[in-house]
Amino acid sequence: MENKINKLKKDFGVVEDLSDIQFLQIHKENYKTEINENNFGEKLTTLYIIKFSIFNLVYCMKLLVFIYESSSEILKLDLKLQDEDLQKELEVCRNFLQRSRNINSTFLNLKKFSRLCEARRLIINIVLKKEPRISLYRNDEDALCIKYTCDSPNIMIEICWKIGWDLKNCDILDTIEVYYNNFELPNSQFIQEELEALTHSSLDFNIKLKLWKKLMSDLSEHTRPIVILDNEPNDQSDNVLVISDSDDERSEIVDITNQVIYVTD
């Protein structure tokens, strides 16, 4: 496989780092059985079928190529993602990549898309799926929607998280939009700051994970039970099992939130 990868890089002038990409198949065949030389110098029309995995996402890319004496020209690029939901989320970027037919740009953007999808998947598994008040679904714009509902007190928060294509800057963009009703809680200010901070696309994974954990903790704090231990003195202050974050951690989150909120484009 290593020889095939090196040949692929040579044929298409690939300079992008491919270390994050696991190639599953590189198949090359003549697209036409007859080779007709012409005035433009084409020697062979070739079909490449390339299957690869990036951060657990499996892609299949087909390239229809003219091979010259010292270079190759991509006539058509077709790209498919195995996951149907993520394929819809990738669609605008996919159309751009298929039109541009640039291999370096294709690998670059697929790596970024896959990395962001994997980060989102980890946050869902580590944090969101452990919260019973959370429901997940896809909306009409193919964004992943995270809905938090609690009847007492009445709280409704909907977070739409989409990893898509920024037409203006021609780049993969990690976008979060937040919608919530007016609710009054002792820690409402913290919750709103965390929600606002999550809407900024420049957060790295560790900061984003910490914000999601704090958000879920702050949202569930008002329903956290008071645990009374048996056979203890009547002083309620001694009987309450306190579950809270340290002041240092809260201060750190506030600092992170403030740094993000006041960043301007």
Side-chain angles (χ1 to χ4, degrees):
M1 180 61 72
E2 184 177 354
N3 290 335
K4 291 184 177 180
I5 295 172
N6 290 333
K7 185 67 167 63
L8 179 73
K9 293 167 68 174
K10 180 180 178 181
D11 286 348
F12 299 104
V14 176
V15 296
E16 181 64 30
D17 181 10
L18 305 182
S19 59
D20 290 333
I21 302 176
Q22 180 184 2
F23 287 92
L24 308 174
Q25 176 189 9
I26 301 178
H27 176 70
K28 178 180 176 182
E29 64 182 41
N30 292 348
Y31 187 67
K32 296 180 180 179
T33 57
E34 296 182 0
I35 303 174
N36 296 320
E37 298 283 353
N38 60 38
N39 294 331
F40 295 98
E42 293 90 354
K43 292 184 63 178
L44 184 65
T45 307
T46 302
L47 176 66
Y48 277 86
I49 300 175
I50 308 166
K51 293 183 180 179
F52 53 94
S53 173
I54 312 176
F55 297 107
N56 299 314
L57 296 185
V58 178
Y59 299 87
C60 179
M61 181 165 61
K62 295 181 180 179
L63 303 173
L64 189 62
V65 182
F66 270 156
I67 296 181
Y68 298 90
E69 289 289 345
S70 58
S71 63
S72 301
E73 177 187 0
I74 300 175
L75 304 176
K76 185 177 181 180
L77 186 153
D78 181 69
L79 182 65
K80 290 186 179 180
L81 177 57
Q82 195 173 72
D83 188 301
E84 292 184 2
D85 287 332
L86 295 180
Q87 166 93 341
K88 294 177 182 178
E89 208 165 352
L90 181 66
E91 193 65 24
V92 177
C93 174
R94 173 176 172 264
N95 292 338
F96 174 85
L97 296 175
Q98 290 184 157
R99 289 194 303 269
S100 63
R101 305 192 300 275
N102 184 300
I103 295 297
N104 281 296
S105 176
T106 298
F107 284 134
L108 172 67
N109 286 289
L110 292 183
K111 285 196 303 181
K112 186 172 183 179
F113 178 83
S114 302
R115 186 181 298 109
L116 292 173
C117 286
E118 178 67 4
R120 183 175 64 182
R121 185 188 71 82
L122 290 173
I123 288 172
I124 290 171
N125 290 338
I126 294 171
V127 182
L128 301 180
K129 285 188 175 180
K130 296 179 180 178
E131 173 52 64
R133 301 173 184 84
I134 289 287
S135 58
L136 304 171
Y137 66 94
R138 291 272 176 177
N139 65 9
D140 295 337
E141 297 180 354
D142 301 315
L144 177 66
C145 290
I146 302 155
K147 190 172 184 179
Y148 182 96
T149 53
C150 182
D151 292 334
S152 180
N154 182 29
I155 298 177
M156 193 286 289
I157 299 174
E158 185 171 272
I159 301 170
C160 297
W161 193 347
K162 186 170 184 178
I163 302 168
W165 185 245
D166 182 0
L167 290 171
K168 180 179 179 180
N169 298 309
C170 294
D171 192 15
I172 297 290
L173 191 62
D174 191 16
T175 305
I176 290 180
E177 295 180 350
V178 175
Y179 309 89
Y180 59 89
N181 63 342
N182 292 323
F183 56 87
E184 294 185 2
L185 295 173
N187 58 357
S188 292
Q189 178 183 353
F190 297 140
I191 294 172
Q192 292 169 4
E193 287 176 350
E194 289 151 7
L195 288 170
E196 183 174 354
L198 282 172
T199 64
H200 292 260
S201 60
S202 59
L203 301 177
D204 67 26
F205 173 74
N206 291 327
I207 293 177
K208 192 173 293 184
L209 177 61
K210 183 174 287 190
L211 281 170
W212 276 106
K213 285 182 175 179
K214 286 303 302 173
L215 175 62
M216 292 299 107
S217 175
D218 287 342
L219 282 170
S220 62
E221 186 174 355
H222 63 282
T223 59
R224 187 171 290 165
I226 297 176
V227 180
I228 306 297
L229 303 178
D230 293 335
N231 301 321
E232 291 288 339
N234 291 328
D235 185 354
Q236 292 295 317
S237 64
D238 293 333
N239 292 338
V240 175
L241 178 62
V242 179
I243 305 175
S244 64
D245 298 299
S246 68
D247 292 338
D248 290 342
E249 185 176 3
R250 167 60 67 189
S251 177
E252 182 183 356
I253 290 292
V254 170
D255 289 342
I256 292 172
T257 305
N258 288 338
Q259 290 173 13
V260 174
I261 288 175
Y262 295 108
V263 171
T264 58
D265 296 329

